[in-house]
Amino acid sequence: MLRRIFILISFVSLVGTARANDVYIYELLKEPGYAQTWKRLLKSERKVPGWLSDENRFVANPEKKQSVGSTQYSISVVAKQHATNEGVAAILFTEDGQKAWAMIVEEGRKPRYLGAPSKEQIDLLDKALDE
């Protein structure tokens, strides 16, 4: 019985550690490379929703890592704060933060892709929003 309790405590500790190591887009955007790439992506598009261009107006899930071929990506899913059913976006960065793409889905509008993603990148963005 004591051994089971010890195993349970060890497992809970590991789960807590994994959560503590989660990386969110807010942290990525503090890094100059990611921040510059993000600003460049948003400026290259017309009529980007205000909630997406202001990190204080969205909530985010932890990033996930995904590879396509030899390219490693960081994928973040964000949603409009206080109205998550009105707007969500998946954001895809290359591992070095030098390139970015996004998919925006807002209530009553067609999905929009920012940054002209490839077919493989679109599949990653779609999959991220489906999860």
Side-chain angles (χ1 to χ4, degrees):
M1 178 69 163
L2 191 57
R3 184 170 186 213
R4 286 184 183 166
I5 292 172
F6 177 74
I7 291 171
L8 181 61
I9 290 171
S10 297
F11 178 74
V12 170
S13 297
L14 287 174
V15 170
T17 302
R19 295 228 182 255
N21 292 329
D22 284 345
V23 176
Y24 291 83
I25 192 167
Y26 314 109
E27 296 158 320
L28 292 176
L29 295 178
K30 289 178 184 175
E31 296 181 27
Y34 283 89
Q36 290 171 354
T37 301
W38 180 239
K39 288 176 187 174
R40 198 170 42 246
L41 178 66
L42 294 177
K43 285 182 182 179
S44 72
E45 301 292 332
R46 292 182 23 189
K47 299 183 182 179
V48 174
W51 64 266
L52 186 58
S53 58
D54 179 357
E55 66 187 77
N56 293 315
R57 293 176 57 193
F58 62 74
V59 293
N61 287 342
E63 75 166 342
K64 292 184 179 181
K65 300 288 187 178
Q66 182 74 42
S67 294
V68 173
S70 62
T71 305
Q72 177 86 8
Y73 294 101
S74 165
I75 305 170
S76 298
V77 175
V78 300
K80 184 176 181 180
Q81 194 171 34
H82 304 299
T84 54
N85 59 335
E86 291 178 16
V88 294
I91 303 161
L92 186 66
F93 281 101
T94 53
E95 188 175 29
D96 62 5
Q98 296 301 306
K99 295 180 182 175
W101 302 267
M103 176 185 181
I104 305 168
V105 179
E106 292 186 289
E107 189 175 12
R109 296 185 177 184
K110 289 183 179 182
R112 290 178 53 195
Y113 294 96
L114 308 183
S118 69
K119 169 72 171 114
E120 292 83 9
Q121 293 162 339
I122 288 172
D123 290 344
L124 288 176
L125 293 165
D126 288 342
K127 182 181 173 187
L129 289 180
D130 285 342
E131 293 179 349

